[in-house]
Amino acid sequence: MTFEELNLEKEILDGLYAMNFEEATPIQELSIPHILEGKDIIGYAQTGTGKTAAYVLPIINRLSKDSYPQDAINAVIMAPTRELAQQIDQQIEGFSYYVPVSTVAVYGGTDGIAYARQERGLQLGADIVVATPGRLISHLNMESVDLSRVSFFVLDEADRMLDMGFYDDIMQIYRKLPPTCQVIMFSATMPPKIRTLAQTILKQPEEIKVAIARPPETIIQSAYICHEAQKLPILKHLFEESRPQRVIIFSSSKMKVKELDIVLKRYGFNVQAMHSDLEQPVRDQVMKDFKNRNIDILVATDVVARGIDIIDISLIINFDIPNDPEDYVHRIGRTARGTHGEGLAITFVDIREQYKFREIEQFLGKTIYKIPVDPSLGQAPAYEPDRYRSLRGRGGMRTGGGTNARARSGRPSSGKGHPGRRDKAR
């Protein structure tokens, strides 16, 4: 379906065409009409399906077409992380290029000047506020924001916000909204806590489900079945065989990310870490440097997995198994997004992670190729998920020593990915 068929205003269409967007994605096709009609919705769709445009476009359309107060906040969009809030703000700027809609992004990790700028934007009455829960609560507590005339309330990646412990903040913000406010929720997963939240804040919602996309076949997926102590030697040999460029390594914790960053720097690789302990200006600079190719390797927690749009990643390495199969899809979906649509994803699986990895294979409906561990790195365990089911969990990274990590030579085979292409509104 084209955007012309969705009853959007000409100015909105002009902005889309200027950005080379013509065809709506399934979540946009299903969501936009309901939002234009003023209905509450709960949409189940993962990152990369175009869900940001699915709620931004109809909200901008209604703000530009109907009469809304110029001195009030008319829409609040909640996002779990600063990075996603920034990205949503940037997309709104592009979509609203030809319409007089004002926005302000409100998130933590900034200095006093930025906080004062946010405060002023809130008090003047921006049409759309994009905010993280904690920082908006801060402004509420300081009585620098009035939400009594908000017409649209959006929760993006609601499941992630609940996972991060923002339920009370969300409810505190929701209670400041007028009862007539249209509420829109998007979630990648459907756990009971999301259904409970939906029942609490939504009014006779339309439920929209887009099948959770499997990774495209253009992503070559493989895995090493190994011991925890073998992960780092395998990683080192991969990078010695082929110089790493445009690589993201995902790890399970901030501590592991910091350790990997230190060890890979010691090996001489051009690497930087990305995790929530970093101050916002540092995180912004790291992401900018990575996008500009000043950094070859980004080591990150899952803060990067959702909502960050980097189009030319060649390789994703899961140093640890993600929490669930859908997080695996989010992670490896960072590759195969550029010009040629090809990429490579490699996962390291130790014995405590085997059962979870089989769950990922079952979710994908396919067997992921297991790359043999070079014998010089020690004997690798067999792939026996049922045997290790009781050991589900994660071990710590050991940076050296041990029988399985003793070797420093031998290079397992690796591959290179190529950029992919985007042709729909994201």
Side-chain angles (χ1 to χ4, degrees), residues 233-244 267 269 408-411:
I234 293 171
L235 183 65
K236 181 184 178 184
H237 291 148
L238 282 172
F239 289 166
E240 288 176 340
E241 180 183 67
S242 178
R243 179 176 176 266
Y267 289 155
F269 296 114
R408 293 295 179 264
S409 62
R411 293 174 171 82

Side-chain angles (χ1 to χ4, degrees), residues 168-233:
D168 291 339
D169 288 348
I170 291 171
M171 293 308 301
Q172 183 177 343
I173 293 166
Y174 173 75
R175 294 186 187 102
K176 299 292 184 179
L177 305 173
T180 55
C181 182
Q182 181 180 0
V183 182
I184 299 159
M185 273 181 59
F186 278 98
S187 177
T189 58
M190 297 178 281
K193 58 187 177 182
I194 286 294
R195 293 195 175 276
T196 300
L197 178 62
Q199 293 169 358
T200 303
I201 70 175
L202 298 176
K203 304 174 292 294
Q204 298 180 325
E206 295 288 339
E207 187 168 310
I208 298 170
K209 295 182 181 179
V210 174
I212 295 173
R214 301 305 188 257
E217 293 300 321
T218 49
I219 299 178
I220 301 171
Q221 301 177 61
S222 58
Y224 285 97
I225 307 302
C226 58
H227 293 289
E228 181 72 24
Q230 291 175 307
K231 289 183 178 182
L232 190 59

Side-chain angles (χ1 to χ4, degrees), residues 14-31:
D14 288 342
L16 287 168
Y17 297 152
M19 298 169 70
N20 296 318
F21 295 140
E22 295 183 1
E23 183 183 353
T25 65
I27 192 65
Q28 293 159 6
E29 180 180 337
L30 295 170
S31 301

Side-chain angles (χ1 to χ4, degrees), residues 27-98:
I27 192 65
Q28 293 159 6
E29 180 180 337
L30 295 170
S31 301
I32 289 175
H34 292 306
I35 298 175
L36 289 175
E37 292 173 4
K39 296 180 179 178
D40 285 10
I41 70 166
I42 178 168
Y44 299 107
Q46 67 186 59
T47 297
T49 56
K51 60 182 174 59
T52 302
Y55 62 77
V56 165
L57 291 175
I59 289 175
I60 293 174
N61 195 87
R62 291 182 60 186
L63 290 174
S64 65
K65 178 182 177 182
D66 301 328
S67 296
Y68 290 89
Q70 295 184 359
D71 61 343
I73 294 171
N74 292 309
V76 173
I77 299 172
M78 305 299 303
T81 66
R82 290 167 276 192
E83 287 76 16
L84 182 55
Q86 289 172 318
Q87 181 174 307
I88 294 169
D89 184 48
Q90 292 167 0
Q91 289 188 314
I92 294 173
E93 183 178 351
F95 293 141
S96 62
Y97 188 82
Y98 294 104

